[in-house]
């Protein structure tokens, strides 16, 4: 059985949304930052089990430092969400709790994974020290550059979407 | 003809598609995606795959998706896509190519985002640096403070040890300990000062003080230091300087002291000059100009702006040790006092520092010279006093008292071996004699003076300065023909009174 599911990646600009997707879909990474405007849509099949495959239709949204400005049409028909912040820039996670509340209120019952990206640039200690800032909300600490937890992130969400 | 050219230049900018509720394309004008009729719309691009759920909704709906990146048959476009449902059976899709428009937006967004991210990273770096700096400063402040305690223990007991019976070898060693611990003490004080300055905890006091007294005492101290190194100490003190000013005399002393210490340190031959003059008096404030000139090693032009930075020593030969903080402290103190300082230097020729500092005038405090019992008319304009004393504290207090009078030259002998020669050269009017001296006593020296061949010298009044005033001591002084005794600790009045008794 092959079903397709739309997921969107949200978060401030420059946090690594496109990089995570590029790593997941093409297994490549670049240090060059090319700002995403509007939305790029990519597709990747995720094999859940020998019998089950999910086609993830991944919407790579333009970054926005104000979540309430996200274009509503982009969210239509979404089955899952990934909210990405940048571990190296506090500005990208200072509003984390209220951003997540906004999402939960406006898109109830849609599974969401919260991701702290660029883990390669911070220490374990740093993550520990900030556990009260983002620790309790975060599902994955990823690095698109070092390929840490990227597949995990997408396949965990994919599994959740079909269960 | 026009139609032909137009056709060649015209790019399709819009494509219309009719789809049914099962996502099958019924009609298309093939502008970007060609030969697509009867196919499922989902095969064109993943975008359409994700909107199929919208196709079986109610009629007369309209959705706009803006700025969608699409890979079409022969190029990538950025488009706005409109979905309109008319009946439950059919929907219209309009793909409008807005690439040019969005490319411009892409450029703007790129610039904006990059600069925001850069500034966030910079802010973060600054925050990190500030935290590090704060940590450094508190660490240094606490640490230096903790070190001072045991160090002052060492200094005190070296002092006490020096007063016990030691042979000359032991004394030499003790001297070295003494010099080293004093050096260490000064460095710690410098470090403490700079860390206080950096956290803004260094406060200036406001005291009224007598400027000419201050300068006389200052010149005196540094003249000795310079001469010890074989350098000439020159000074001109302007006549128009205000007598009594309000400011922080301790920090002023530190500023000038650091500059002159520095000058002495980097000069091996020639002179050190201190010039002080009045710039102007305005609104009850006097602006005073200080200049310190040496004939030392100088500083290369390219290093001039580094000299005021903490922990920088332009001379890296290690020949001249120190913390490298002296000038940074000076610079900071000067700006705390709202003054300014500049440096000029010629490599291998010498360096000069110029500073301007403002002080409030104190018009209330009277010149506080002690009026010694309606003094008889004195025979000379200035009297020459010779002090035989090796304690710096006593030297300074005598100097302070005499300088304020403006009637005395003071010379100091610390080494008793040179005393007789000095007396013969300088023919002082009065000798102030400490009793407890290295290798000898004041009364012993007095006996030697009284045996001098020169008539006018052997009669010079000798006044003992001593804490030993038991009857048997006094008897001994009398026997040595010491004229009078000033007991330590003495005050201004008793010193001046006794001296005046012997002035002719
Ligand atoms: N070191 C490191 N750099 C990363 C990582 N992920 C992304 N980056 C870098 O971060 C910058 C931004 O990455 P993007 O993936 O373009 O970020 P985005 O969230 O898509 O940004 P917008 O499209 O503007 O919203 C790029 O320079 C990437 O190379 C990571 O895991 N580690
Ligand atoms: Mg992006």
């Amino acid at each position: 059985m092959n079903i397709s599911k739309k997921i969107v990646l949200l978060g401030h600009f420059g946090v690594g949304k496109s990089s995570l997707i590029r790593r997941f879909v093409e297994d490549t990474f670049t240090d060059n930052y090319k700002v995403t405007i509007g939305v790029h849509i990519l597709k990747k099949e995720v094999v859940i089990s020998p019998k089950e495959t999910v086609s993830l239709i991944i919407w790579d949204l333009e970054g926005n430092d104000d979540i309430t400005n996200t274009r509503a049409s982009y969210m239509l028909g979404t089955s899952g969400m990934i909210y990405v912040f940048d571990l190296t820039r506090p500005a990208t996670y200072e509003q984390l709790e209220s951003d997540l509340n906004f999402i939960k209120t406006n898109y109830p019952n849609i599974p969401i994974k919260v991701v702290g990206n660029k883990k390669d640039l911070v220490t374990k200690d740093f993550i520990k020290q900030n556990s009260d800032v983002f620790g309790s909300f975060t599902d994955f600490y990823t690095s698109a550059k070092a390929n840490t937890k990227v597949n995990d992130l997408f396949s965990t969400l994919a599994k959740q979407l079909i269960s | 003809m026009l139609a032909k050219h137009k056709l060649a230049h015209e790019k399709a900018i819009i494509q219309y598609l009719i789809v049914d509720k099962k996502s099958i394309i019924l009609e298309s004008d093939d502008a970007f995606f060609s030969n697509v009729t009867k196919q499922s719309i989902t095969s064109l691009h993943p975008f359409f795959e994700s909107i199929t759920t919208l196709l079986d909704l109610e009629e007369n709906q309209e959705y706009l998706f803006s700025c969608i990146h699409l890979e079409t048959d022969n190029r990538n476009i950025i488009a706005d896509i409109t979905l309109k449902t008319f009946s439950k059976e059919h929907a219209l899709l309009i793909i409008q190519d807005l690439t040019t428009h969005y490319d411009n937006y892409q450029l703007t967004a790129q610039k904006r985002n990059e600069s925001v991210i850069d500034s966030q990273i910079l802010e973060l770096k600054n925050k990190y640096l500030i935290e590090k700096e704060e940590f450094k400063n508190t660490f240094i402040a606490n640490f230096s403070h903790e070190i001072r305690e045991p160090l002052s223990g060492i200094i005190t007991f070296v002092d006490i040890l020096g007063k016990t019976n030691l042979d000359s070898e032991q004394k030499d060693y003790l001297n070295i300990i003494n010099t080293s611990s004093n050096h260490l003490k000064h460095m710690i004080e410098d470090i403490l000062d700079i860390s206080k300055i950096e956290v803004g905890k260094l406060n200036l006091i406001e005291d009224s003080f007598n400027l000419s007294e201050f300068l006389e005492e200052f010149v005196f101290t540094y003249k000795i230091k310079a001469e010890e190194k074989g350098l000439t100490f020159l000074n001109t003190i302007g006549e128009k300087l205000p007598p009594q000013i309000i400011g922080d005399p301790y920090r002023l002393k530190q500023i000038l002291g650091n500059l002159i210490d520095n000058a002495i340190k980097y000069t091996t031959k020639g002179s050190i000059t201190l010039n002080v003059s009045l710039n102007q008096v305005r609104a009850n404030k006097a602006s005073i100009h200080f200049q310190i000139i040496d004939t030392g090693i100088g500083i290369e032009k390219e290093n001039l702006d580094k000299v005021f930075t903490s922990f920088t020593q332009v001379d890296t030969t290690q020949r001249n040790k120190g913390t490298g903080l002296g000038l940074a402290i000076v610079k900071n103190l000067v700006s705390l006092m709202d003054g300014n300082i500049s440096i000029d230097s010629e490599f291998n020729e010498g360096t000069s520092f110029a500073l301007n500092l403002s002080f409030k005038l104190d018009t209330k405090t009277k010149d506080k010279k002690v009026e010694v019992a309606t003094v008889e008319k004195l025979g000379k304009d200035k009297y020459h006093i010779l002090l035989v004393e090796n304690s710096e504290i006593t030297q300074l207090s005598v100097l302070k008292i005499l300088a304020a009078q403006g009637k005395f030259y003071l010379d100091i002998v610390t080494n008793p071996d040179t005393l007789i020669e000095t007396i013969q050269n300088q023919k002082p009017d009065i000798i102030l004699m400490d009793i407890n001296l290295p290798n000898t006593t004041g009364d012993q020296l007095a006996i030697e003076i009284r045996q001098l061949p020169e008539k006018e010298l052997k009669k010079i009044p000798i006044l003992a300065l001593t804490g030993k005033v038991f009857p048997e001591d006094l008897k001994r002084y009398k026997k040595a023909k010491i004229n009078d005794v000033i007991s330590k600790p003495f005050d201004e009045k008793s010193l001046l009174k006794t001296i005046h008794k012997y002035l002719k």
Side-chain angles (χ1 to χ4, degrees), chain B residues 7 17 41 52 57 137 146 182 224 318 321 341 348 351 359 371 404 410 417 422 441 457 477 495 500:
Chain B
L7 200 69
L17 298 135
I41 185 95
T52 49
L57 281 176
N137 286 328
E146 293 298 317
N182 276 318
I224 295 181
Q318 291 298 321
K321 47 187 169 152
I341 181 164
N348 281 332
T351 305
F359 297 91
E371 296 302 328
L410 182 69
D417 295 343
T422 313
T441 61
L457 296 183
Y477 306 150
L495 180 74
H500 274 264

Side-chain angles (χ1 to χ4, degrees), chain A residues 10-22 29-37 60-64 84 86 88-89 117-121 142-147 150, chain B residues 109 112-113 117:
Chain A
L10 299 161
H12 283 223
F13 48 78
V15 297
K17 298 179 293 295
S18 304
S19 299
L20 286 167
I21 296 166
R22 198 173 306 125
F29 176 83
T30 166
D31 277 313
N32 294 334
Y33 173 36
K34 184 170 187 232
V35 172
T36 307
I37 58 160
D60 177 10
L61 302 198
E62 169 177 317
N64 205 322
V84 187
D86 181 342
T88 68
R89 283 187 296 137
N117 187 41
K118 307 196 188 177
K119 182 167 184 278
D120 56 296
L121 295 177
T142 60
S143 167
K145 185 168 186 167
N147 196 4
V150 181
Chain B
R112 180 201 60 205
N113 291 10
I117 290 170

